[in-house]
Amino acid sequence: MVNINNIIIEIRTDGRLIYEEKEDDSMLQATQTLEWLIQQLGHTTDMVNKPLKSNQKEATLVFIKTLVDSDKIQQMIIKPFFEIETRGNFIDYLHSLPDGQEITSQEQMLSELSKGSIVVSMNNYLFMFDIKKVHTNTVPITSLENTVLGPQSSMSEDIHTNINLIRNRYHQPTLTVEMLELGSKSIQSLAVIYDRELVDQTALEQIKYRLEQLNSKPLIQSTAELQRLINGRKVSLFPFFMITERTDRIVYNLSVGKIVLSLDGDPSTIVAPAIFTDFMAAMDDKYHSKLYTKFVQILRYVGLFITLLLPGFYVAATSYNPEILHTELALSVAGSRVGVPYPSYVEVTFMLIIMELLIEASIRLPKTISAAATTVGGLILGTAITEAALASNIMIIVVSAVAISNFAIPIGELNSAIRVLKYVFILFATIAGLAGLTFGLLAIVMYLTNSESYGEPYLKINIDLKSKGEQQ
Amino acid sequence: MSRYFYYLVVVEFVGSILSVIPSFLFESSKKGTIMSMLLALLAGVAFIYWITKFFNHYPGRGLPELLQQHIPKWMAFPILFLFSLAWFIFGLKTLLNYSFLLKRFLLPHLQINWIIALLLLFITYSFFMKTKKLLYTLEIVLFINIPLMIYIIGILYVNTGLDWDYVKKSMMYVYHAPNLLAFSASFLIFIGASNLIIVNREFKNKQKLTTFQILLLCVLGAWILFTNYFIPIGYNGFERIQYINFPWILGTDSLKVALAFLERIMFVFLFLHISVTFVNIIIFWHVSLELLKSTAKLVRRKQKESNMITYIFVLVVWSISLIISMKITESSYLMYARSLFVAFPPFFLLVLIVCWFISWRDKHDNRSLKTN
């Protein structure tokens, strides 16, 4: 093993002696290291080992061609090499470059090379520079969390661009970025971003601990996968992390002391801890006028309850407790069900599943075909099925209302949780009618209040009473 | 006081309306119910005052901790066990009445033991919850229910179906010696504060019960008692009301709001009560379970964290509730409840005596420390 540290220390400490020849063994070390690197990377054809020579100077460049920016090599290293006269001046020049990386070991050099660094060997000195070329740093328009007002661009797939976007919106010296590496094969960079003064320390420790437990995973490719791996629950329906692509949401969360995890190669970031009400908030709640915001928020909760309870309510009201409806309504529901051969729960489940299939189809299919799918689906969910007496007219209204109001929930993960949960309510309603529905609602409330996201209660009414002794 | 304290008190107020309490009040409506209600109001508010005053002295500590510190183990053990049993019975009596109500009005085709099993399925989850989380649940349930509740009771007061002549007639029976059962029944709506024996563990800040807060509770209690007794009389008449099993439901069923989503107010009222009573049972049994855990801690030397007691409690709750549900009928339930209710005021007197004894020992210990 060659001890690289020796060389580095010498480069740093004796500024004056640097131009003179070194003793033999360190020269041997630098050459050996270079040879070792070339040998390790020799099998790939895109490895470049380029010797440079100009009157008295000699240098060798080692890099992987497909990862680095060749213009930058030309501008930064090759051109100055021929312009700068003496060897000493060129080494000084290399020292002054801002992209320089610290060398700690051979293995580190190898792994940096495989991420897009270049190694420059000059006499007995080794330098390493980060000149990777990234093709994923374009910043697209938001696609998942659309808002009417406010910033429109989301995040890129390059972690440095993302950190840049965040830093550009949050100018605080206390903003801390910690870089970790995830996945024993993919070695993906993960940035843990938080405001040092505001952050909840226990939550930070817990998150770091969970991340350390992940060492054995070979590949972690998306933030959604990461959040599933670190949420600590074997089975979970409700989201305990927020996944967002909006920089304004990230910055808002940083300013209230939350922790942001950004994985290289994924435009969405994780925000933790996240509680139930966070998922019911859209970012333009902050941008619109107050009364309008309240109106929209109420609308969202109405949507939540409709999508969750309406199918179950239909089952309960048609098969169990028709007496609770207005007489006219109860009669018209019963009238529209004339000829439907199934009990109401079969009818509801059947129609809902067709609706779910339609939604799945429009997510997965290519855009050109999905139009056909929606047309066909529209036929099924339209008058045809009622004419065939497979479902009642009112059932069609119920299904459409459920489908639409499900999308009133602004964040996707809660959206999908609720999508699953409504079947549980149909089950409760099938067993015990409206009483079952009420118990189901109570059970959900109990489950949500009992859950925690990194020490924060998941569902809780927050009332800020200023007077002494009121808050506990 | 912390707002969670009020929830504990209020949930009992609201829960009383659909319990057997109104029926017991009507039983002696010509033999001094009004006088007993007045007495119970005084006694209830005094009870709330004393028990909160005691626990405000010891922020963050429940009764088991205080017993452990100030009272020898051989005395603490039976006290804790008795209290645990009592709170279990509170929960059980509420559960039974609740399932009779469900069977009568919402689930007529299910047998009573199936209804109880269904309820227990949901209640069992609460045994694994922490006290604090239970308080959050309570808050959310009340937050949804109380506005609707006030709306319905408001409508009940202004509706033309309410005949104030009956109310006035029933008030003529005020000069009668108080009746024990009516007193116990109306005293029982004030026992919410006694859950502090466990819940006080969560009130870690120094709490204070001001005169205004006592007055507020007093007015609220008086209003609930008044509503509890006189509204059904106004709707159902005075003469034969004691023969109605659920006078409140019949009262609310005479209301129709044609423009509302659900026309018959009775069902809205039922759903509100289903949820409020549900949390009520959960809290009673949570306190019972926590007391049982502390009792077990007294016996065991090792402070090992295990869910053993909880599993045993689940087993006991399921088997006792199901066995009782197979034996009991509505009339026999009323008979047992009558004798149980009479035993409640002395029991709460015992609670106060235990509290008083602890504070006496505490002062005594402090004095002896000082002299040493």
Side-chain angles (χ1 to χ4, degrees):
Chain A
M1 234 358 142
V2 184
N3 190 359
I4 301 289
N5 287 344
N6 249 354
I7 309 169
I8 305 304
I9 288 162
E10 268 173 296
I11 290 170
R12 288 199 163 173
T13 48
D14 44 23
R16 283 188 299 111
L17 287 174
I18 204 160
Y19 318 122
E20 294 179 12
E21 295 293 329
K22 284 287 164 68
E23 314 101 78
D24 286 342
D25 62 328
S26 73
M27 189 146 67
L28 189 72
Q29 281 170 357
T31 343
Q32 269 184 357
T33 309
L34 204 64
E35 272 169 14
W36 183 79
L37 287 174
I38 293 164
Q39 189 199 337
Q40 292 292 317
L41 292 169
H43 55 276
T44 107
T45 46
D46 52 356
M47 195 271 287
V48 176
N49 174 15
K50 189 175 278 303
L52 300 178
K53 205 169 180 186
S54 125
N55 46 18
Q56 297 153 12
K57 310 193 292 278
E58 274 181 39
T60 315
L61 309 182
V62 176
F63 56 93
I64 295 175
K65 200 178 171 202
T66 44
L67 277 174
V68 300
D69 189 344
S70 8
D71 285 351
K72 218 171 168 184
I73 296 181
Q74 161 75 14
Q75 287 298 321
M76 211 169 84
I77 294 164
I78 299 177
K79 220 170 148 196
F81 181 78
F82 292 101
E83 282 170 2
I84 296 173
E85 290 282 310
T86 65
R87 193 168 66 202
N89 284 354
F90 184 65
I91 291 177
D92 274 347
Y93 166 76
L94 288 182
H95 269 299
S96 69
L97 287 176
D99 284 336
Q101 284 173 305
E102 200 175 332
I103 298 173
T104 53
S105 71
Q106 282 183 337
E107 285 73 20
Q108 180 246 359
M109 288 174 82
L110 191 62
S111 97
E112 290 297 332
L113 270 176
S114 67
K115 282 182 189 171
S117 292
I118 179 169
V119 173
V120 180
S121 157
M122 178 106 186
N123 289 13
N124 39 23
Y125 298 107
L126 287 177
F127 295 93
M128 189 158 70
F129 303 101
D130 178 15
I131 48 163
K132 77 169 71 103
K133 188 171 191 176
V134 184
H135 296 280
T136 52
N137 58 358
T138 47
V139 180
I141 301 292
T142 49
S143 58
L144 297 174
E145 297 164 64
N146 296 321
T147 57
V148 179
L149 301 178
Q152 295 296 327
S153 50
S154 68
M155 308 276 274
S156 77
E157 294 199 345
D158 174 47
I159 191 167
H160 296 290
T161 317
N162 288 349
I163 295 172
N164 172 278
L165 286 171
I166 295 170
R167 277 209 182 267
N168 266 329
R169 286 179 177 272
Y170 193 71
H171 301 281
Q172 281 297 320
T174 47
L175 183 66
T176 312
V177 179
E178 280 182 44
M179 296 297 268
L180 305 174
E181 276 170 358
L182 277 189
S184 56
K185 289 244 159 56
S186 59
I187 317 186
Q188 208 76 314
S189 311
L190 175 85
V192 182
I193 308 165
Y194 54 89
D195 191 319
R196 199 172 59 234
E197 275 176 4
L198 302 169
V199 71
D200 180 1
Q201 289 297 338
T202 49
L204 185 64
E205 273 162 32
Q206 276 189 44
I207 287 180
K208 282 187 179 168
Y209 172 75
R210 296 255 173 92
L211 287 171
E212 275 167 27
Q213 306 293 304
L214 285 180
N215 283 336
S216 56
K217 299 275 173 205
L219 281 181
I220 293 170
Q221 306 229 54
S222 78
T223 40
E225 186 185 3
L226 180 67
Q227 75 92 15
R228 195 173 50 76
L229 289 172
I230 59 173
N231 82 1
R233 290 171 172 80
K234 274 180 194 143
V235 184
S236 64
L237 182 61
F238 281 89
F240 291 94
F241 291 94
M242 167 91 76
I243 292 186
T244 181
E245 53 163 14
R246 295 189 62 87
T247 41
D248 50 351
R249 196 188 276 274
I250 293 170
V251 168
Y252 171 73
N253 279 308
L254 282 174
S255 74
V256 293
K258 298 199 175 178
I259 301 152
V260 174
L261 305 179
S262 175
L263 188 71
D264 197 8
D266 195 321
S268 44
T269 52
I270 298 178
V271 178
I275 59 168
F276 186 80
T277 43
D278 291 344
F279 293 98
M280 292 300 285
M283 235 12 243
D284 46 0
D285 285 0
K286 289 211 163 306
Y287 308 144
H288 288 295
S289 67
K290 189 151 188 161
L291 278 179
Y292 174 74
T293 307
K294 279 274 167 272
F295 166 71
V296 179
Q297 275 172 343
I298 291 170
L299 204 62
R300 265 180 225 141
Y301 278 96
V302 170
L304 173 76
F305 281 109
I306 285 180
T307 189
L308 201 59
L309 298 179
L310 196 59
F313 185 79
Y314 179 83
V315 173
T318 49
S319 305
Y320 256 83
N321 312 98
E323 69 270 19
I324 75 158
L325 296 175
H326 285 247
T327 321
E328 297 86 348
L329 184 60
L331 284 176
S332 78
V333 170
S336 87
R337 267 181 58 75
V338 168
V340 177
Y342 311 113
S344 59
Y345 76 94
V346 176
E347 186 192 356
V348 171
T349 323
F350 169 69
M351 286 303 283
L352 283 179
I353 282 177
I354 289 195
M355 180 201 81
E356 303 286 1
L357 288 175
L358 206 62
I359 293 175
E360 276 305 298
S362 53
I363 296 172
R364 304 277 166 235
L365 278 177
K367 280 208 175 78
T368 43
I369 314 177
S370 72
T374 41
T375 318
V376 175
L379 282 180
I380 298 174
L381 289 180
T383 47
I385 201 162
T386 56
E387 276 163 20
L390 288 174
S392 68
N393 279 320
I394 289 174
M395 187 64 241
I396 305 288
I397 300 171
V398 168
V399 168
S400 327
V402 166
I404 296 166
S405 45
N406 198 22
F407 297 112
I409 302 162
I411 301 287
E413 288 94 71
L414 186 65
N415 209 322
S416 38
I418 299 296
R419 225 173 112 188
V420 177
L421 208 60
K422 64 173 174 273
Y423 294 96
V424 180
F425 276 89
I426 294 177
L427 180 73
F428 287 149
T430 315
I431 295 171
L434 281 169
L437 223 52
T438 319
F439 295 143
L441 211 55
L442 286 168
I444 294 295
V445 169
M446 280 202 293
Y447 172 71
L448 290 182
T449 46
N450 198 28
S451 304
E452 282 184 350
S453 173
Y454 291 103
E456 242 183 89
Y458 195 63
L459 182 64
K460 186 192 168 203
I461 294 177
N462 281 314
I463 304 174
D464 283 323
L465 291 174
K466 293 272 156 49
S467 57
K468 208 170 57 180
E470 289 283 0
Q471 276 296 74
Q472 55 142 349
Chain B
M1 291 299 291
S2 161
R3 64 179 195 268
Y4 296 103
F5 167 76
Y6 293 102
Y7 298 149
L8 289 175
V9 177
V10 165
V11 78
E12 208 59 46
F13 282 176
V14 177
S16 69
I17 292 180
L18 271 193
S19 65
V20 283
I21 289 174
S23 309
F24 287 165
L25 291 181
F26 298 131
E27 264 181 32
S28 53
S29 53
K30 290 180 185 170
K31 289 171 276 174
T33 297
I34 299 179
M35 206 45 119
S36 342
M37 276 176 10
L38 286 174
L39 273 181
L41 178 66
L42 289 179
V45 173
F47 175 73
I48 293 179
Y49 172 70
W50 277 321
I51 202 155
T52 43
K53 199 180 164 210
F54 170 73
F55 278 107
N56 285 348
H57 263 292
Y58 307 99
R61 288 156 83 193
L63 189 70
E65 289 85 24
L66 293 170
L67 277 177
Q68 230 169 351
Q69 196 180 345
H70 297 295
I71 284 183
K73 204 183 269 180
W74 62 269
M75 266 172 85
F77 181 80
I79 290 175
L80 278 180
F81 192 76
L82 177 72
F83 281 14
S84 171
L85 193 70
W87 256 264
F88 174 72
I89 289 172
F90 295 155
L92 190 66
K93 75 149 176 56
T94 318
L95 177 83
L96 287 172
N97 182 54
Y98 186 44
S99 25
F100 287 131
L101 184 88
L102 280 173
K103 181 170 170 56
R104 179 68 57 86
F105 292 100
L106 280 175
L107 303 166
H109 51 279
L110 275 187
Q111 284 184 345
I112 201 84
N113 41 1
W114 282 108
I115 294 176
I116 284 188
L118 183 76
L119 279 168
L120 285 179
L121 208 65
F122 293 103
I123 292 173
T124 307
Y125 180 78
S126 76
F127 296 155
F128 298 91
M129 287 168 79
K130 288 193 183 110
T131 312
K132 198 177 221 168
K133 303 295 168 59
L134 215 61
L135 290 177
Y136 296 158
T137 309
L138 174 63
E139 181 173 32
I140 288 170
V141 170
L142 286 183
F143 182 79
I144 297 169
N145 286 338
I146 291 293
L148 275 171
M149 198 72 213
I150 291 172
Y151 166 73
I152 292 176
I153 292 182
I155 288 187
L156 281 171
Y157 268 104
V158 297
N159 191 270
T160 46
L162 179 69
D163 197 336
W164 286 99
D165 283 346
Y166 289 127
V167 179
K168 281 175 196 158
K169 186 179 174 190
S170 67
M171 278 186 183
M172 288 164 68
Y173 291 86
V174 62
Y175 298 113
H176 281 262
N179 175 293
L180 183 58
L181 181 65
F183 171 79
S184 312
S186 28
F187 176 76
L188 220 62
I189 79 165
F190 295 97
I191 65 166
S194 64
N195 288 323
L196 274 180
I197 62 173
I198 288 299
V199 178
N200 199 50
R201 286 173 179 171
E202 298 302 323
F203 297 163
K204 297 200 170 84
N205 293 355
K206 186 85 183 149
Q207 310 278 339
K208 210 167 160 259
L209 192 67
T210 58
T211 322
F212 170 74
Q213 288 166 340
I214 298 166
L215 270 177
L216 187 77
L217 286 175
C218 196
V219 170
L220 208 62
W223 180 64
I224 286 286
L225 270 178
F226 182 88
T227 310
N228 238 330
Y229 182 64
F230 291 109
I231 290 286
I233 287 181
Y235 278 94
N236 297 314
F238 179 62
E239 281 306 321
R240 303 182 69 76
I241 190 164
Q242 63 269 38
Y243 300 112
I244 302 175
N245 263 7
F246 293 99
W248 260 93
I249 301 260
L250 291 198
T252 45
D253 205 16
S254 51
L255 268 187
K256 267 191 181 183
V257 181
L259 299 178
F261 178 65
L262 296 180
E263 190 180 25
R264 288 169 73 182
I265 285 296
M266 170 197 143
F267 284 102
V268 184
F269 192 68
L270 258 180
F271 293 130
L272 297 187
H273 268 285
I274 285 179
S275 37
V276 171
T277 315
F278 185 83
V279 273
N280 209 340
I281 297 172
I282 286 178
I283 288 168
F284 279 143
W285 276 353
H286 178 78
V287 171
S288 173
L289 174 61
E290 289 296 320
L291 287 170
L292 199 65
K293 276 184 190 164
S294 317
T295 320
K297 249 184 210 165
L298 278 183
V299 182
R300 265 189 314 184
R301 277 261 158 234
K302 273 185 261 170
Q303 298 283 325
K304 226 171 46 180
E305 279 288 317
S306 81
N307 274 343
M308 201 57 202
I309 299 292
T310 314
Y311 292 130
I312 294 173
F313 189 74
V314 170
L315 203 72
V316 168
V317 163
W318 273 82
S319 45
I320 290 186
S321 313
L322 285 179
I323 290 169
I324 287 184
S325 74
M326 280 179 226
K327 309 247 175 207
I328 209 163
T329 58
E330 273 191 70
S331 59
S332 63
Y333 168 74
L334 280 180
M335 203 177 72
Y336 291 126
R338 217 165 276 142
S339 37
L340 259 180
F341 269 47
V342 179
F344 284 150
F347 172 75
F348 285 102
L349 196 63
L350 178 71
V351 174
L352 281 183
I353 289 172
V354 168
C355 292
W356 170 80
F357 188 64
I358 289 171
S359 66
W360 179 74
R361 285 291 292 248
D362 192 19
K363 272 179 203 152
H364 188 76
D365 290 352
N366 280 344
R367 211 172 296 146
S368 56
L369 270 178
K370 270 176 199 162
T371 47
N372 283 347

